[in-house]
Amino acid sequence: MLAILVFLLCLSSILSFNFDTQSPIIKQIDKDVYFGFSVAQHILTETNTAYLLVGAPLDSTIFNEEVFNRSGAIYKCPVSFKSNDCEQIPVDFLSRNSDEGNYLKIFTH
């Protein structure tokens, strides 16, 4: 019985978050490229600024004046109520053999 009480007290101290259904933040772009397929929150430590990182797996991207068709793109969106303030993050592709239909691969250390 004591173990259950301790477990419930520990469980109550866990931090959590809720989705705001009254005033949601909606982001969109003018392309049909599965924008929003993946979403992550990121905080830039230098400026302590929060961003949403939004994936668009069918979008094209430009890097060093070279176009990669349907290779996938990542957008950086400030946490604001503006719906069209996202900007594409330039990504250097690991393979220069990127043809249409290749998907973006991200590696983290």
Side-chain angles (χ1 to χ4, degrees):
M1 180 68 173
L2 181 60
I4 294 174
L5 180 61
V6 170
F7 174 74
L8 292 175
L9 287 174
C10 290
L11 188 64
S12 68
S13 67
I14 295 174
L15 298 175
S16 62
F17 65 94
N18 293 320
F19 290 103
D20 185 359
T21 59
Q22 300 298 317
S23 53
I25 294 176
I26 298 171
K27 302 293 182 180
Q28 55 190 6
I29 60 173
D30 294 331
K31 302 179 194 175
D32 186 22
V33 291
Y34 292 170
F35 179 80
F37 188 80
S38 56
V39 178
Q41 185 177 4
H42 179 70
I43 297 177
L44 283 177
T45 55
E46 299 87 23
T47 60
N48 201 27
T49 306
Y51 288 97
L52 297 174
L53 299 178
V54 182
L58 298 181
D59 203 356
S60 299
T61 189
I62 299 173
F63 186 78
N64 288 340
E65 300 179 12
E66 188 175 347
V67 177
F68 296 89
N69 292 321
R70 297 177 57 98
S71 55
I74 301 172
Y75 286 84
K76 177 178 79 171
C77 306
V79 179
S80 68
F81 289 108
K82 293 182 180 179
S83 63
N84 60 349
D85 58 351
C86 299
E87 61 183 57
Q88 192 177 99
I89 299 173
V91 175
D92 186 6
F93 287 90
L94 297 174
S95 170
R96 290 293 182 206
N97 298 327
S98 294
D99 293 326
E100 187 170 327
N102 264 355
Y103 293 99
L104 177 64
K105 298 174 188 170
I106 299 294
F107 295 95
T108 58
H109 299 107

